[in-house]
Amino acid sequence: KKLWNQIGESPIGAGLADSGGILYLTTNPKTGSFTVLIRRPDGITCMMTGGRGWADIESLIPGRDL
């Protein structure tokens, strides 16, 4: 909730990890911030990493670095 309420990030994707947990990716398109979370099978959610400069693949220009 803190990511959504204070940082303005919202989920854009999720997937089932090999470990049985659920991986979530949240982003804020206005600021470019992003966070990767994993929710373990026991219900505990952990932040794996976060950063700045998120860009959707569709918005990248071919031949241009991130």
Side-chain angles (χ1 to χ4, degrees), residues 31-66:
T31 65
S33 68
F34 67 92
T35 305
V36 179
L37 305 162
I38 190 158
R39 183 179 176 106
R40 300 183 335 196
D42 63 7
I44 295 173
T45 301
C46 302
M47 183 176 122
M48 297 182 69
T49 191
R52 295 180 298 259
W54 179 262
D56 293 325
I57 297 296
E58 295 83 23
S59 67
L60 297 177
I61 300 170
R64 184 172 170 199
D65 291 336
L66 292 176

mmCIF file of all heavy atoms in Angstrom, residues 31-66:
data_model
loop_
_atom_site.group_PDB
_atom_site.id
_atom_site.type_symbol
_atom_site.label_atom_id
_atom_site.label_comp_id
_atom_site.label_asym_id
_atom_site.label_seq_id
_atom_site.Cartn_x
_atom_site.Cartn_y
_atom_site.Cartn_z
ATOM 1 N N THR A 31 7.193 9.316 -12.731
ATOM 2 C CA THR A 31 8.538 9.520 -12.187
ATOM 3 C C THR A 31 9.556 8.521 -12.724
ATOM 4 O O THR A 31 10.749 8.731 -12.591
ATOM 5 C CB THR A 31 8.520 9.388 -10.648
ATOM 6 O OG1 THR A 31 8.178 8.035 -10.303
ATOM 7 C CG2 THR A 31 7.538 10.350 -10.015
ATOM 8 N N GLY A 32 9.090 7.405 -13.297
ATOM 9 C CA GLY A 32 9.987 6.365 -13.796
ATOM 10 C C GLY A 32 10.494 5.426 -12.716
ATOM 11 O O GLY A 32 11.335 4.575 -12.971
ATOM 12 N N SER A 33 9.960 5.545 -11.484
ATOM 13 C CA SER A 33 10.400 4.640 -10.420
ATOM 14 C C SER A 33 9.772 3.266 -10.632
ATOM 15 O O SER A 33 8.715 3.129 -11.247
ATOM 16 C CB SER A 33 10.018 5.188 -9.045
ATOM 17 O OG SER A 33 8.620 5.165 -8.858
ATOM 18 N N PHE A 34 10.459 2.237 -10.117
ATOM 19 C CA PHE A 34 9.928 0.876 -10.198
ATOM 20 C C PHE A 34 10.385 0.076 -8.987
ATOM 21 O O PHE A 34 11.391 0.393 -8.362
ATOM 22 C CB PHE A 34 10.352 0.168 -11.491
ATOM 23 C CG PHE A 34 11.827 -0.108 -11.582
ATOM 24 C CD1 PHE A 34 12.354 -1.315 -11.130
ATOM 25 C CD2 PHE A 34 12.687 0.830 -12.110
ATOM 26 C CE1 PHE A 34 13.714 -1.565 -11.212
ATOM 27 C CE2 PHE A 34 14.047 0.585 -12.201
ATOM 28 C CZ PHE A 34 14.565 -0.616 -11.753
ATOM 29 N N THR A 35 9.612 -0.965 -8.661
ATOM 30 C CA THR A 35 9.920 -1.851 -7.555
ATOM 31 C C THR A 35 9.570 -3.276 -7.958
ATOM 32 O O THR A 35 8.547 -3.504 -8.601
ATOM 33 C CB THR A 35 9.122 -1.464 -6.291
ATOM 34 O OG1 THR A 35 9.375 -0.085 -5.988
ATOM 35 C CG2 THR A 35 9.498 -2.320 -5.103
ATOM 36 N N VAL A 36 10.432 -4.229 -7.579
ATOM 37 C CA VAL A 36 10.170 -5.646 -7.802
ATOM 38 C C VAL A 36 9.966 -6.288 -6.434
ATOM 39 O O VAL A 36 10.818 -6.165 -5.552
ATOM 40 C CB VAL A 36 11.336 -6.336 -8.549
ATOM 41 C CG1 VAL A 36 11.049 -7.815 -8.737
ATOM 42 C CG2 VAL A 36 11.592 -5.656 -9.883
ATOM 43 N N LEU A 37 8.813 -6.920 -6.259
ATOM 44 C CA LEU A 37 8.447 -7.561 -4.999
ATOM 45 C C LEU A 37 8.227 -9.041 -5.232
ATOM 46 O O LEU A 37 7.875 -9.450 -6.340
ATOM 47 C CB LEU A 37 7.131 -6.983 -4.464
ATOM 48 C CG LEU A 37 7.054 -5.480 -4.288
ATOM 49 C CD1 LEU A 37 5.607 -5.041 -4.185
ATOM 50 C CD2 LEU A 37 7.811 -5.081 -3.034
ATOM 51 N N ILE A 38 8.419 -9.847 -4.201
ATOM 52 C CA ILE A 38 8.031 -11.251 -4.263
ATOM 53 C C ILE A 38 7.210 -11.580 -3.024
ATOM 54 O O ILE A 38 7.561 -11.189 -1.912
ATOM 55 C CB ILE A 38 9.226 -12.213 -4.413
ATOM 56 C CG1 ILE A 38 8.719 -13.613 -4.727
ATOM 57 C CG2 ILE A 38 10.126 -12.181 -3.200
ATOM 58 C CD1 ILE A 38 9.698 -14.515 -5.397
ATOM 59 N N ARG A 39 6.090 -12.215 -3.273
ATOM 60 C CA ARG A 39 5.242 -12.699 -2.171
ATOM 61 C C ARG A 39 5.471 -14.190 -2.059
ATOM 62 O O ARG A 39 5.167 -14.948 -2.976
ATOM 63 C CB ARG A 39 3.780 -12.396 -2.429
ATOM 64 C CG ARG A 39 2.891 -12.805 -1.287
ATOM 65 C CD ARG A 39 1.452 -12.449 -1.579
ATOM 66 N NE ARG A 39 0.599 -12.932 -0.521
ATOM 67 C CZ ARG A 39 0.031 -12.165 0.392
ATOM 68 N NH1 ARG A 39 0.209 -10.873 0.348
ATOM 69 N NH2 ARG A 39 -0.723 -12.693 1.323
ATOM 70 N N ARG A 40 6.064 -14.599 -0.950
ATOM 71 C CA ARG A 40 6.406 -16.003 -0.741
ATOM 72 C C ARG A 40 5.154 -16.831 -0.486
ATOM 73 O O ARG A 40 4.108 -16.285 -0.120
ATOM 74 C CB ARG A 40 7.368 -16.120 0.445
ATOM 75 C CG ARG A 40 8.647 -15.359 0.234
ATOM 76 C CD ARG A 40 9.660 -15.503 1.336
ATOM 77 N NE ARG A 40 9.141 -15.853 2.658
ATOM 78 C CZ ARG A 40 9.827 -15.734 3.780
ATOM 79 N NH1 ARG A 40 11.058 -15.280 3.759
ATOM 80 N NH2 ARG A 40 9.297 -16.076 4.926
ATOM 81 N N PRO A 41 5.244 -18.146 -0.660
ATOM 82 C CA PRO A 41 4.094 -19.007 -0.394
ATOM 83 C C PRO A 41 3.552 -18.899 1.038
ATOM 84 O O PRO A 41 2.370 -19.122 1.274
ATOM 85 C CB PRO A 41 4.624 -20.417 -0.664
ATOM 86 C CG PRO A 41 5.712 -20.214 -1.655
ATOM 87 C CD PRO A 41 6.348 -18.900 -1.268
ATOM 88 N N ASP A 42 4.415 -18.495 1.999
ATOM 89 C CA ASP A 42 3.951 -18.345 3.382
ATOM 90 C C ASP A 42 3.252 -17.008 3.634
ATOM 91 O O ASP A 42 2.861 -16.693 4.745
ATOM 92 C CB ASP A 42 5.103 -18.548 4.371
ATOM 93 C CG ASP A 42 6.210 -17.512 4.234
ATOM 94 O OD1 ASP A 42 6.062 -16.539 3.463
ATOM 95 O OD2 ASP A 42 7.253 -17.675 4.905
ATOM 96 N N GLY A 43 3.119 -16.171 2.572
ATOM 97 C CA GLY A 43 2.398 -14.905 2.681
ATOM 98 C C GLY A 43 3.259 -13.692 2.933
ATOM 99 O O GLY A 43 2.778 -12.564 2.857
ATOM 100 N N ILE A 44 4.530 -13.870 3.242
ATOM 101 C CA ILE A 44 5.427 -12.744 3.485
ATOM 102 C C ILE A 44 5.826 -12.129 2.148
ATOM 103 O O ILE A 44 6.198 -12.834 1.216
ATOM 104 C CB ILE A 44 6.670 -13.175 4.285
ATOM 105 C CG1 ILE A 44 6.251 -13.635 5.679
ATOM 106 C CG2 ILE A 44 7.703 -12.048 4.357
ATOM 107 C CD1 ILE A 44 7.369 -14.228 6.499
ATOM 108 N N THR A 45 5.742 -10.797 2.060
ATOM 109 C CA THR A 45 6.135 -10.086 0.844
ATOM 110 C C THR A 45 7.443 -9.354 1.104
ATOM 111 O O THR A 45 7.582 -8.660 2.115
ATOM 112 C CB THR A 45 5.049 -9.086 0.419
ATOM 113 O OG1 THR A 45 3.835 -9.808 0.194
ATOM 114 C CG2 THR A 45 5.441 -8.348 -0.850
ATOM 115 N N CYS A 46 8.404 -9.505 0.189
ATOM 116 C CA CYS A 46 9.723 -8.883 0.313
ATOM 117 C C CYS A 46 10.018 -8.039 -0.917
ATOM 118 O O CYS A 46 9.700 -8.430 -2.044
ATOM 119 C CB CYS A 46 10.810 -9.948 0.430
ATOM 120 S SG CYS A 46 10.592 -11.080 1.810
ATOM 121 N N MET A 47 10.658 -6.888 -0.694
ATOM 122 C CA MET A 47 11.122 -6.073 -1.803
ATOM 123 C C MET A 47 12.452 -6.640 -2.277
ATOM 124 O O MET A 47 13.377 -6.800 -1.482
ATOM 125 C CB MET A 47 11.299 -4.624 -1.377
ATOM 126 C CG MET A 47 11.699 -3.723 -2.511
ATOM 127 S SD MET A 47 11.793 -2.010 -1.975
ATOM 128 C CE MET A 47 13.487 -1.675 -2.394
ATOM 129 N N MET A 48 12.554 -6.955 -3.557
ATOM 130 C CA MET A 48 13.788 -7.513 -4.104
ATOM 131 C C MET A 48 14.716 -6.413 -4.601
ATOM 132 O O MET A 48 15.913 -6.462 -4.381
ATOM 133 C CB MET A 48 13.465 -8.485 -5.233
ATOM 134 C CG MET A 48 12.653 -9.674 -4.750
ATOM 135 S SD MET A 48 12.326 -10.849 -6.034
ATOM 136 C CE MET A 48 13.958 -11.512 -6.311
ATOM 137 N N THR A 49 14.155 -5.423 -5.290
ATOM 138 C CA THR A 49 14.951 -4.309 -5.802
ATOM 139 C C THR A 49 14.018 -3.193 -6.228
ATOM 140 O O THR A 49 12.812 -3.373 -6.336
ATOM 141 C CB THR A 49 15.856 -4.751 -6.969
ATOM 142 O OG1 THR A 49 16.795 -3.719 -7.260
ATOM 143 C CG2 THR A 49 15.049 -5.075 -8.216
ATOM 144 N N GLY A 50 14.580 -2.056 -6.474
ATOM 145 C CA GLY A 50 13.832 -0.903 -6.970
ATOM 146 C C GLY A 50 14.793 0.045 -7.639
ATOM 147 O O GLY A 50 16.012 -0.113 -7.539
ATOM 148 N N GLY A 51 14.250 1.017 -8.342
ATOM 149 C CA GLY A 51 15.132 1.959 -9.007
ATOM 150 C C GLY A 51 14.378 3.048 -9.742
ATOM 151 O O GLY A 51 13.191 3.265 -9.520
ATOM 152 N N ARG A 52 15.099 3.703 -10.651
ATOM 153 C CA ARG A 52 14.548 4.808 -11.439
ATOM 154 C C ARG A 52 14.837 4.555 -12.911
ATOM 155 O O ARG A 52 15.706 3.766 -13.260
ATOM 156 C CB ARG A 52 15.211 6.127 -11.033
ATOM 157 C CG ARG A 52 14.913 6.545 -9.618
ATOM 158 C CD ARG A 52 15.604 7.861 -9.313
ATOM 159 N NE ARG A 52 17.071 7.703 -9.425
ATOM 160 C CZ ARG A 52 17.891 7.549 -8.420
ATOM 161 N NH1 ARG A 52 17.434 7.531 -7.214
ATOM 162 N NH2 ARG A 52 19.189 7.419 -8.601
ATOM 163 N N GLY A 53 14.131 5.251 -13.767
ATOM 164 C CA GLY A 53 14.388 5.192 -15.197
ATOM 165 C C GLY A 53 13.625 4.087 -15.909
ATOM 166 O O GLY A 53 14.040 3.645 -16.976
ATOM 167 N N TRP A 54 12.509 3.633 -15.334
ATOM 168 C CA TRP A 54 11.724 2.584 -15.975
ATOM 169 C C TRP A 54 11.163 3.086 -17.297
ATOM 170 O O TRP A 54 10.707 4.216 -17.409
ATOM 171 C CB TRP A 54 10.564 2.156 -15.070
ATOM 172 C CG TRP A 54 9.732 1.103 -15.728
ATOM 173 C CD1 TRP A 54 8.574 1.283 -16.400
ATOM 174 C CD2 TRP A 54 10.043 -0.281 -15.808
ATOM 175 N NE1 TRP A 54 8.126 0.084 -16.883
ATOM 176 C CE2 TRP A 54 9.015 -0.895 -16.541
ATOM 177 C CE3 TRP A 54 11.092 -1.066 -15.334
ATOM 178 C CZ2 TRP A 54 8.994 -2.257 -16.805
ATOM 179 C CZ3 TRP A 54 11.071 -2.420 -15.600
ATOM 180 C CH2 TRP A 54 10.037 -2.996 -16.317
ATOM 181 N N ALA A 55 11.222 2.248 -18.315
ATOM 182 C CA ALA A 55 10.634 2.564 -19.616
ATOM 183 C C ALA A 55 9.970 1.314 -20.161
ATOM 184 O O ALA A 55 10.534 0.226 -20.078
ATOM 185 C CB ALA A 55 11.705 3.045 -20.594
ATOM 186 N N ASP A 56 8.773 1.472 -20.704
ATOM 187 C CA ASP A 56 8.105 0.362 -21.361
ATOM 188 C C ASP A 56 8.864 0.012 -22.629
ATOM 189 O O ASP A 56 9.392 0.896 -23.313
ATOM 190 C CB ASP A 56 6.669 0.718 -21.727
ATOM 191 C CG ASP A 56 5.803 0.910 -20.496
ATOM 192 O OD1 ASP A 56 6.023 0.195 -19.510
ATOM 193 O OD2 ASP A 56 4.916 1.772 -20.541
ATOM 194 N N ILE A 57 8.924 -1.256 -22.958
ATOM 195 C CA ILE A 57 9.649 -1.700 -24.147
ATOM 196 C C ILE A 57 9.132 -0.997 -25.404
ATOM 197 O O ILE A 57 9.894 -0.603 -26.268
ATOM 198 C CB ILE A 57 9.550 -3.242 -24.300
ATOM 199 C CG1 ILE A 57 10.222 -3.932 -23.127
ATOM 200 C CG2 ILE A 57 10.119 -3.706 -25.617
ATOM 201 C CD1 ILE A 57 11.714 -3.686 -23.015
ATOM 202 N N GLU A 58 7.814 -0.809 -25.502
ATOM 203 C CA GLU A 58 7.228 -0.173 -26.676
ATOM 204 C C GLU A 58 7.709 1.266 -26.861
ATOM 205 O O GLU A 58 7.701 1.781 -27.961
ATOM 206 C CB GLU A 58 5.696 -0.193 -26.602
ATOM 207 C CG GLU A 58 5.091 -1.562 -26.659
ATOM 208 C CD GLU A 58 5.067 -2.265 -25.304
ATOM 209 O OE1 GLU A 58 5.117 -1.579 -24.259
ATOM 210 O OE2 GLU A 58 5.034 -3.508 -25.294
ATOM 211 N N SER A 59 8.104 1.926 -25.766
ATOM 212 C CA SER A 59 8.511 3.316 -25.864
ATOM 213 C C SER A 59 9.990 3.510 -26.165
ATOM 214 O O SER A 59 10.445 4.622 -26.374
ATOM 215 C CB SER A 59 8.163 4.057 -24.566
ATOM 216 O OG SER A 59 8.936 3.571 -23.493
ATOM 217 N N LEU A 60 10.756 2.415 -26.189
ATOM 218 C CA LEU A 60 12.188 2.520 -26.470
ATOM 219 C C LEU A 60 12.431 2.730 -27.963
ATOM 220 O O LEU A 60 11.725 2.195 -28.808
ATOM 221 C CB LEU A 60 12.923 1.254 -26.014
ATOM 222 C CG LEU A 60 12.883 0.975 -24.520
ATOM 223 C CD1 LEU A 60 13.603 -0.351 -24.232
ATOM 224 C CD2 LEU A 60 13.518 2.093 -23.735
ATOM 225 N N ILE A 61 13.441 3.512 -28.252
ATOM 226 C CA ILE A 61 13.840 3.749 -29.632
ATOM 227 C C ILE A 61 14.896 2.745 -30.016
ATOM 228 O O ILE A 61 15.913 2.640 -29.327
ATOM 229 C CB ILE A 61 14.358 5.194 -29.793
ATOM 230 C CG1 ILE A 61 13.246 6.188 -29.413
ATOM 231 C CG2 ILE A 61 14.868 5.442 -31.205
ATOM 232 C CD1 ILE A 61 13.732 7.619 -29.297
ATOM 233 N N PRO A 62 14.703 1.990 -31.114
ATOM 234 C CA PRO A 62 15.719 1.002 -31.522
ATOM 235 C C PRO A 62 17.108 1.643 -31.671
ATOM 236 O O PRO A 62 17.242 2.736 -32.209
ATOM 237 C CB PRO A 62 15.203 0.509 -32.871
ATOM 238 C CG PRO A 62 13.740 0.774 -32.832
ATOM 239 C CD PRO A 62 13.578 2.027 -32.014
ATOM 240 N N GLY A 63 18.121 0.962 -31.131
ATOM 241 C CA GLY A 63 19.491 1.442 -31.220
ATOM 242 C C GLY A 63 19.865 2.442 -30.147
ATOM 243 O O GLY A 63 21.010 2.891 -30.084
ATOM 244 N N ARG A 64 18.952 2.807 -29.297
ATOM 245 C CA ARG A 64 19.237 3.777 -28.247
ATOM 246 C C ARG A 64 19.318 3.062 -26.903
ATOM 247 O O ARG A 64 18.485 2.256 -26.551
ATOM 248 C CB ARG A 64 18.107 4.816 -28.195
ATOM 249 C CG ARG A 64 18.369 5.906 -27.202
ATOM 250 C CD ARG A 64 17.304 6.977 -27.348
ATOM 251 N NE ARG A 64 17.407 7.898 -26.237
ATOM 252 C CZ ARG A 64 16.440 8.698 -25.868
ATOM 253 N NH1 ARG A 64 15.310 8.707 -26.522
ATOM 254 N NH2 ARG A 64 16.600 9.507 -24.853
ATOM 255 N N ASP A 65 20.368 3.358 -26.149
ATOM 256 C CA ASP A 65 20.540 2.763 -24.816
ATOM 257 C C ASP A 65 19.496 3.288 -23.854
ATOM 258 O O ASP A 65 18.954 4.381 -24.050
ATOM 259 C CB ASP A 65 21.931 3.074 -24.254
ATOM 260 C CG ASP A 65 23.024 2.357 -25.018
ATOM 261 O OD1 ASP A 65 22.728 1.324 -25.645
ATOM 262 O OD2 ASP A 65 24.172 2.845 -24.988
ATOM 263 N N LEU A 66 19.264 2.517 -22.775
ATOM 264 C CA LEU A 66 18.379 2.999 -21.709
ATOM 265 C C LEU A 66 19.044 4.148 -21.087
ATOM 266 O O LEU A 66 19.058 4.892 -20.484
ATOM 267 C CB LEU A 66 18.106 1.894 -20.691
ATOM 268 C CG LEU A 66 17.282 0.735 -21.175
ATOM 269 C CD1 LEU A 66 17.182 -0.317 -20.071
ATOM 270 C CD2 LEU A 66 15.882 1.177 -21.532
#
